[in-house]
Amino acid sequence: IDLNGIKKLTFKVMEVNKGCRIDIRLDKHDGPVWASYQGDPEHKKLWDWYMSSIPVTPQKGKHDLFFVFACDN
């Protein structure tokens, strides 16, 4: 994906468990974390789809993105 000029990610998400996060990594599953999403504190309901956005640091060129899901519990 060409990431030139990208300043935020917007996506549809459903939380099924508090304490989980999504790390968006560059180029490989254990690559550098480009962004991390830990849920919207304003959205209280589990099992409910909603739209959310997170800021990202603009990158140059094309990269593969890996969405890595992790829970603390």
Side-chain angles (χ1 to χ4, degrees):
I1 296 175
D2 186 351
L3 299 180
N4 284 309
I6 303 297
K7 297 178 183 173
K8 72 176 180 175
L9 293 178
T10 300
F11 48 90
K12 191 172 188 177
V13 66
M14 175 195 297
E15 292 181 59
V16 297
N17 190 2
K18 295 293 182 186
C20 296
R21 73 179 184 281
I22 305 169
D23 290 334
I24 299 98
R25 295 177 173 267
L26 296 174
D27 302 317
K28 54 187 181 175
H29 75 278
D30 59 351
V33 175
W34 183 40
S36 189
Y37 179 77
Q38 295 189 352
D40 183 344
E42 299 296 317
H43 192 88
K44 306 290 186 204
K45 291 173 59 177
L46 294 177
W47 299 96
D48 184 45
W49 288 104
Y50 63 95
M51 299 297 293
S52 192
S53 295
I54 55 173
V56 294
T57 304
Q59 300 291 311
K60 292 184 179 183
K62 293 183 179 183
H63 295 270
D64 292 325
L65 297 181
F66 288 79
F67 290 74
V68 180
F69 297 82
C71 291
D72 296 331
N73 49 13

